Structure formats: structure tokens, C-alpha cells
Amino acid sequence: MSQPASARPAAPASVPVPLLDLKLQYQTLAAEIMPVLQQICESQQFILGRHVREFEAAAANYCGCREAIGVSSGTDALLLAVMALGIGPGDEVVTTTYSFFATAGVLARVGARPVFCDIEPDSFNIDVRAVGKFLHEHCQWRDGALINQRTGGRIRALLPVHLYGQCADMAPLLHLAREFQLQVIEDAAQAIGASGPDGIRAGAMGDIGCLSFFPSKNLGAFGDAGMCITQGSELAERMRILRVHGGHPKYHHAVIGGNFRLDEIQAAVLAIKLRHLDAWTAGRQRNADFYAAAFQRAGLAAKLTLPGTRPGMRHIWNQYVIRAPEREALKRFLSERGIGTEIYYPIPLHLQRCFASLGYREGDLPEAERAARESLALPIYPELAREQLQAVVDQIAAFYG
């Protein structure tokens, strides 16, 4: 049994291990990136030019989709997808409660209502059984629409999230979508390159996949950037129009869109980085394997709940998230020794104050609430040295020792 934090002797100083160090990645790429940025500056072509088109083609090929639409952020990718599918006031979308705020925030922005479901305890992804239970037991068809019997809202779509780099259990979700005539938006912001047992990559399974290239992502830009991917040519064209205020042709607006454009600098950087992505993913996978073996050797496998990869899945390890007793004390302990950690996420979406009007209460979605109390992300980026990985394990062992 571990000692109270106040009673533990001071452990020796640890090897510094930041949660993420992007400077190491940049140092290996500077010679590739800087000449391209110089060329863009000399051209003074910054918006929706050649580099955007080339990156869209490369990303579509990588993700196994026919179409890719570069946009201004991962949040705007989700917003664009929702707008393109015509989701708005009176509509409801079934999604997970355990995700970054944008997943549900974009629904509220268009006047739609999120319907939150609980998560699987091992994968942190949406629980398909909870989705099926809601659709079968709490919805009914009226006048050609699937209606939430409690609220009267129209159920329009499913919005699963591929959290931490591992795909949600998509086969049964897609089956439910067909059964109930729902559209599927995949929040693949943390999962570019991940795939399910059938080998289909994250974002390519539903109607629209949404990617984020926030700098801390596995494929990160030099600022905000995102992308929508789809197999549908007509849907792609609709999104291309919506990303430029709905103007088609220019200055003619049959629909209202937004300013969701990807710029040339971000596209050029991302195109260069995309060529290295699989090697970086392999590094993250090696680090995850190292952690699993090292925690086992340290006798911590029974104390902590370690993340794993489900059979057949390609996990790209955007985050390495453990469940830890005394999580807050452990986080402070590691911080004092130079080891970076983060909590993704401390408050499930159904308990966020801005969604209080939806009527959820503490205890409604217990697995997500438990994950919010226990989860802790450890450093996993590919440039980590074995000495740093071992330092993380050693300091966690010291805390529980």
C-alpha cells in the first residue's frame, strides 16, 4: 500500500521528460521546411494554392479516401462536416461524453443537441452498447424521422471519436447507422493513420472524417489546421463551397458557409511531415511497448491500468493514457521531478456547465466520470530516449513504493 504523499521521502531528481518536445522534430526537418517557406514568401500566394492542393491529394491517398478538403482547424473540420450534412436546430447527434470540447461544441454552435453516451473502460471510446440501447429503447420513427422520445428532437447522425489514437468499434456503429438511417461523422482528430481490423483508416469509414493538425498532434502544423475527408464527390464539393463562405462562383452565395480555408504555409509544412508520419508512428508504438514491459518489470501492472491495443487495430498512440490511483498526487509528484503529464479530460462533456440545460447529472455516465478521475497521459512522442522512458517508470514506481 502506498504512503500518503506528505509522508513519502523525496525521490532523487529525475531525468527531465517533457510531455512533448517539438523542437527535436523540427531540428530534423528544418533543412526540408525552410526552403519551401522561403518560396511561399517569395510567391506571396498564401491561400488555397498549389501546396494546399498537393497536400490534400497526399492526405486523401494516405487516409484511403477519394476526397480531402483542407481547412483552418480540427474544430472547423467538425463544424464544416456538420454544416455540410445540414444538421441544425431541432436535430440531435449521438456522441461520446469523453472527448475534447470541440466534439460537442460544434453541435451547439449550429443549434443542434448532443446526446451523450458513456465509454468503454478499456479503450475510452464510445460504448456501442450504450448507443444501441439509446436508439432501440428511447427513439421511435414518426413521419419518416427518428425521434428522441424524451426531447422530441430528430436523431440525425452518430459522431464517434477515435480517442488517443485507437479507432472506436466502428463495424457495429456503422451497422446501427444503416439500421436507423443515420449519417456518420468520425472525429479522427487524434487518429490519422489508425485503422480497424479491416484495415480501413480512421476517417474513411463514415460519411465524413475530421482531422486536426494542431501542433501537438502526431501530424502537426506550425499553427492551426485541419481537414475533412470523404468518399463522396458531391459531399466534397459542398464542403469546398462552404469553406469559402458558401460562395460559388465567387461573390455568388446560394448557401451560407464560413471562412474555413487552409493556408499554404500550413499545407506545405504538413506535406513534408506526412512523409515521415509512419516512421514517427513506429516510434510511438515502440515507446508504448517499452512502457508495457517496463511497468511489468517494476511490478506496477497490477497497480496501474495500462492502455492496450485491441486485436486487429492499428493504434497510433497520440496519447499514452494510464489509469492511476491517487492520480492528482501522482501528477504533482512527477511534475516536481521534471516529468510532464496531462489529464485528458478532467470533466466529461455531459457535466460541463455550458451543457447544464441538457439535464445530465453526475452519475449518469459512470465510466466516463471514473476515467476523468483516474486517467493520466504520459510522454510518448517518438524522439524520447530509452533513458527518459525508464525515468518515467522509475519515478512512478518511487511514488507507489
Side-chain angles (χ1 to χ4, degrees), residues 63-371:
C63 294
C65 276
R66 292 191 184 94
E67 305 279 356
I69 301 91
V71 297
S72 40
S73 71
T75 299
D76 286 340
L78 288 165
L79 180 59
L80 179 60
V82 169
M83 293 172 66
L85 295 177
I87 294 169
D91 294 332
E92 299 188 1
V93 176
V94 181
T95 190
T96 175
T97 186
Y98 201 65
S99 180
F100 180 63
F101 180 79
T103 304
V106 298
L107 300 174
R109 286 174 63 182
V110 299
R113 178 189 182 100
V115 177
F116 293 120
C117 285
D118 212 348
I119 61 170
E120 301 169 332
D122 57 343
S123 72
F124 298 94
N125 281 321
I126 193 168
D127 189 335
V128 178
R129 296 168 301 176
V131 176
K133 180 179 175 66
F134 168 74
L135 294 174
H136 284 110
E137 298 182 9
H138 299 282
C139 300
Q140 64 177 199
W141 290 99
R142 293 184 205 156
D143 301 323
L146 184 66
I147 302 300
N148 182 340
Q149 296 180 74
R150 185 175 72 85
T151 65
R154 300 180 299 269
I155 306 298
R156 290 286 312 281
L158 306 180
L159 204 174
V161 178
H162 305 309
L163 202 66
Y164 303 148
Q166 182 167 217
C167 288
D169 192 3
M170 289 299 293
L173 283 171
L174 292 170
H175 177 81
L176 287 169
R178 290 189 294 270
E179 179 183 354
F180 289 95
Q181 301 176 34
L182 303 174
Q183 293 165 309
V184 177
I185 302 169
E186 295 175 69
D187 185 340
Q190 300 181 9
I192 184 170
S195 63
D198 55 9
I200 300 176
R201 293 204 158 170
M205 306 176 213
D207 293 280
I208 303 174
C210 301
L211 306 175
S212 170
F213 305 123
F214 188 76
S216 63
K217 294 294 192 292
N218 290 26
L219 181 64
F222 279 8
D224 274 316
M227 179 167 279
C228 290
I229 54 177
T230 183
Q231 306 290 10
S233 297
E234 290 185 10
L235 192 52
E237 181 61 18
R238 191 180 315 155
M239 288 189 282
R240 289 192 180 99
I241 293 170
L242 287 170
R243 77 173 168 183
V244 289
H245 296 284
H248 182 71
K250 192 174 182 179
Y251 302 131
H252 294 75
H253 300 265
V255 295
I256 298 172
N259 179 9
F260 305 137
R261 297 171 296 200
L262 177 64
D263 71 70
E264 286 284 278
I265 288 175
Q266 305 308 332
V269 169
L270 290 165
I272 291 168
K273 287 190 173 189
L274 182 60
R275 298 196 290 266
H276 300 269
L277 182 57
D278 283 339
W280 295 337
T281 294
R284 289 172 177 268
Q285 291 167 338
R286 286 193 300 271
N287 291 345
D289 290 343
F290 182 96
Y291 273 142
F295 280 126
Q296 186 72 40
R297 290 193 301 269
L300 290 169
K303 189 74 172 179
L304 306 171
T305 302
L306 304 180
T309 302
R310 287 191 160 186
M313 296 284 192
R314 184 182 191 239
H315 199 322
I316 57 112
W317 298 103
N318 180 254
Q319 304 292 350
Y320 187 92
V321 178
I322 64 173
R323 288 176 180 264
E326 303 176 75
R327 192 266 311 276
E328 298 295 338
L330 173 61
K331 181 174 173 57
R332 288 193 299 271
F333 183 91
L334 295 175
S335 177
E336 290 166 359
R337 286 147 185 83
I339 294 174
T341 62
E342 187 55 272
I343 298 169
Y344 304 110
Y345 298 92
I347 304 174
L349 295 174
H350 71 284
L351 297 180
Q352 294 287 350
R353 187 165 59 177
C354 64
F355 291 130
S357 63
L358 300 181
Y360 292 95
R361 298 289 183 268
E362 189 169 351
D364 285 349
L365 303 176
E367 288 298 341
E369 293 169 30
R370 185 166 69 89

